[in-house]
Amino acid sequence: MRIAVIDSRAKIVRGDEVFDIAGASAGLFGPDAQDVYDQWKGFLSWADSADLGPGAAFAPEECDSPVPRPRQIFGIGLNYHAHQIESGLPAPATPLVFAKFVTSVAPAIGELVLFTDQVDWEVEAAIVIGTEARHVDKANAWAHVAGVTAAQDYSARDVQMRPVGTPQFSLGKSFPGYTPLGPVLVSPDEFENPDDIQLSCAINGRTVQSSSTADMIFSVGELIAYLSAILPLLPGDVILTGTPSGVALGMNPPEYLRAGDQITSVVGDQTQRHVAIAQS
Ligand code: ZN
């Protein structure tokens, strides 16, 4: 199953075509994508045998985030072995969790405003919750996941790291546009192994990050088990599962994004493209 949001309406993506969910279901599901996630199991069983009617041509650049307004967005810090080493920080004993605020959600393709002169890239696999997860065992965690999509956890390092002693991860990573998601949500069954998804990031065509989610310190199952023991994970909630090595912060000296830079981020078969622009 593949879900996109185009013109504020949830769509099923099949091949090169998109099908309007509210239209095909005569209003049973959608048009708001959140309504589809809120009824995820029922939606899947309907979609299994539904006649979707005529499709329209799929264009990734028309997609908004496949989850336009998640109620909760979690970020995970230092969750790849090589990135933990480049950061110079000790390996975490439990997941390092921060929040990203919903006004930072943006489309997968578009412009990235450089609100400070220390904006960095972090390609990440994003997990979207399908059915509410509370006290979920890691072995059952994937059953609560609607799908995986590409994400960037764009980070203004100067804001993130100040003041010393009480870093502000949630603010430094929540400028408008700093959580692009999509273009398309891909359900876990479409991956040969959803715990081994390739991801990469290139700046102006030069690959700077390249890894697999298999290198994560805490797996998707462990993250969902950890978070759901503390609070309920709700349909449509998003977990950014951490970034592999190769961010600007790990360079000496760091080469942060400059106006005109082109950022290409790939997770599985989903590709994001952003062009960095100066703040007007
Ligand atoms: Zn991150």
Side-chain angles (χ1 to χ4, degrees):
M1 175 59 62
R2 289 172 175 248
I3 302 288
V5 171
I6 297 169
D7 294 334
S8 302
R9 298 179 69 89
K11 311 279 184 179
I12 292 173
V13 181
R14 282 189 187 161
D16 295 335
E17 287 189 306
V18 294
F19 301 86
D20 188 77
I21 293 171
S25 71
L28 203 54
F29 307 100
D32 188 343
Q34 183 61 50
D35 180 65
V36 175
Y37 298 119
D38 283 338
Q39 307 184 69
W40 186 245
K41 282 267 158 65
F43 164 74
L44 285 182
S45 62
W46 166 79
D48 218 24
S49 57
D51 175 6
L52 299 178
F58 173 59
E61 61 274 15
E62 293 177 354
C63 291
D64 198 348
S65 162
V67 207
R69 292 181 313 283
R71 285 171 284 195
Q72 308 186 91
I73 308 171
F74 303 90
I76 309 296
L78 299 185
N79 200 29
Y80 280 76
H81 291 98
H83 177 57
Q84 175 255 316
I85 291 164
E86 81 175 341
S87 74
L89 296 167
T94 56
L96 301 181
V97 183
F98 55 89
K100 282 175 77 88
F101 297 110
V102 68
T103 51
S104 65
V105 171
I109 296 171
E111 293 179 332
L112 172 76
V113 179
L114 302 177
F115 288 100
T116 81
D117 59 6
Q118 293 186 25
V119 177
D120 203 346
W121 56 85
E122 293 191 355
V123 66
E124 309 203 4
I127 302 300
V128 177
I129 298 296
T131 55
E132 181 169 329
R134 181 74 170 133
H135 299 298
V136 168
D137 189 87
K138 72 175 181 184
N140 299 320
W142 275 109
H144 292 269
V145 174
V148 181
T149 195
Q152 263 287 351
D153 180 19
Y154 287 121
S155 304
R157 299 298 188 196
D158 46 345
V159 176
Q160 178 190 344
M161 300 306 183
R162 75 181 183 218
V164 172
T166 49
Q168 303 293 321
F169 277 49
S170 296
L171 290 178
K173 293 162 172 281
S174 286
F175 283 90
Y178 283 23
T179 311
L181 298 169
V184 172
L185 179 95
V186 181
S187 60
D189 58 287
E190 295 216 9
F191 295 90
E192 196 176 318
N193 177 359
D195 286 304
D196 184 6
I197 299 171
Q198 300 297 311
L199 70 172
S200 64
C201 178
I203 308 298
N204 301 322
R206 182 172 67 99
T207 299
V208 288
Q209 296 187 279
S210 181
S211 187
S212 159
T213 59
D215 190 46
M216 295 199 313
I217 294 173
F218 299 103
S219 67
V220 168
E222 289 168 327
L223 293 174
I224 289 175
Y226 182 78
L227 291 169
S228 76
I230 295 169
L231 47 70
L233 300 174
L234 306 172
D237 282 0
V238 178
I239 304 170
L240 276 71
T241 54
T243 199
S245 64
V247 299
L249 184 65
M251 299 173 175
N252 188 16
E255 292 172 26
Y256 293 115
L257 291 168
R258 294 289 167 256
D261 282 349
Q262 299 187 31
I263 308 111
T264 306
S265 314
V266 179
V267 176
D269 64 5
Q270 296 302 302
T271 300
Q272 298 197 343
R273 293 194 304 273
H274 297 104
V275 177
I277 62 167
Q279 188 176 12
S280 57

